[in-house]
């Protein structure tokens, strides 16, 4: 049984973030054989090509080293102004460089968006998918995950209480395990 290292990138830095609660629930629900873990992105300096020298900023190196061995990525993101939060886009830009050494290339990905609103972060979800095309990542197509009214899905301690969301996350993890298997080796 494989024990696949899956990097989870969360597009919100705030305390009490629903995105992070979704990521935590996802990690708790992971089936045997999948080892998702959050890789922090909040300390990454904004991408600047001038800093791409022999000694890039330490947090960039830490992030690249921590994700290089990942066999796949799960992105959990809120939507900011119908798009992707800058912190997540910055992590994608940092991970994609230097040219030819992208940490993402060819690795399967899944995208989960959430919002307390009714559209479930659809805009951010699809804007992110646009970058994943360029990064050459096979992206899980079904089930799609646009988690709406996410503020009602967790209890006071951040535990997932919405059964429909739990079912969707379980389905997504099973499908993602299948996608990883298909692209393994
Ligand atoms: C938002 N929010 C938001 N929600 C939404 O559904 N569509 C949107 O376009 C936006 N735009 C937006 C911009 C900015 C700058 C902020 C701070 C917020 C609300 C957002 O979904 C809400 O704050 C979530 O709780 C953010 O996710 P986390 O931090 O809980 O993971």
């Amino acid at each position: 049984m494989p024990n696949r290292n899956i990097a989870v990138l969360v597009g919100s830095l705030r305390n009490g973030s629903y995105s992070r609660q979704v990521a935590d629930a996802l990690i708790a629900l992971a089936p045997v054989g999948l080892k998702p873990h959050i890789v922090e992105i909040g300390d990454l300096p904004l991408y600047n090509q001038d800093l791409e020298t022999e000694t890039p900023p330490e947090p960039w190196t830490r992030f690249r080293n921590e994700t290089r061995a990942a066999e796949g990525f799960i992105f959990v993101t809120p939507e900011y102004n119908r798009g992707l939060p800058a912190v997540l886009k910055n992590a994608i830009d940092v991970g994609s460089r230097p040219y030819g050494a992208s940490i993402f290339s060819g690795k399967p990905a899944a995208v989960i968006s959430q919002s307390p609103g009714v559209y479930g972060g659809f805009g951010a979800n699809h804007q992110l998918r646009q970058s994943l095309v360029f990064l050459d990542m096979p992206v899980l197509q079904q089930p799609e995950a646009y988690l709406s009214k996410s503020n009602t899905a967790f209890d006071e301690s951040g535990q997932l209480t919405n059964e429909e969301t739990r079912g969707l996350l379980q389905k997504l993890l099973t499908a993602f395990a299948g996608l990883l298997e298909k692209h393994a080796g």
Side-chain angles (χ1 to χ4, degrees):
M1 176 65 74
N3 213 9
R4 300 199 187 286
N5 170 346
I6 307 301
V8 179
L9 305 189
V10 178
S12 170
L13 303 181
R14 76 176 182 94
N15 287 326
S17 154
Y18 300 123
S19 305
R20 188 168 278 256
Q21 289 175 24
V22 169
D24 288 340
L26 195 77
I27 288 166
L29 291 169
V32 174
L34 278 198
K35 280 273 169 256
H37 59 99
I38 293 173
V39 179
E40 300 298 339
I41 60 174
D43 63 339
L44 301 176
L46 281 181
Y47 191 78
N48 175 347
Q49 231 176 322
D50 293 342
L51 305 180
E52 200 69 89
T53 62
E54 301 252 301
T55 53
E58 190 283 325
W60 289 8
T61 305
R62 189 270 309 157
F63 175 70
R64 289 165 175 166
N65 288 341
E66 219 178 314
T67 47
R68 199 166 303 287
E71 291 181 71
F73 285 82
I74 300 179
F75 299 91
V76 184
T77 187
E79 178 175 82
Y80 280 3
N81 299 305
R82 294 284 179 258
L84 196 57
V87 68
L88 187 52
K89 181 59 165 60
N90 186 51
I92 289 171
D93 295 341
V94 170
S96 69
R97 294 279 155 158
Y99 184 78
S102 167
I103 56 157
F104 299 113
S105 198
K107 297 178 184 175
V111 180
I112 300 169
S113 56
Q114 67 73 28
S115 168
V118 292
Y119 300 123
F122 178 90
N125 190 307
H126 281 265
Q127 192 184 37
L128 173 51
R129 284 169 184 268
Q130 186 175 317
S131 290
L132 303 186
V133 173
F134 186 67
L135 294 171
D136 195 21
M137 304 179 85
V139 184
L140 186 71
Q141 301 300 335
Q142 294 294 333
E144 294 157 275
Y146 316 109
L147 308 180
S148 59
K149 300 193 190 301
S150 54
N151 55 323
T152 66
F154 301 91
D155 68 16
E156 303 259 299
S157 67
Q159 294 302 305
L160 180 63
T161 52
N162 185 305
E163 288 310 314
E164 204 182 324
T165 302
R166 183 190 309 280
L168 178 61
L169 294 181
Q170 279 169 331
K171 218 169 136 191
L172 181 141
L173 283 162
T174 303
F176 190 53
L179 185 68
L180 285 159
E181 212 51 53
K182 200 167 134 190
H183 289 274

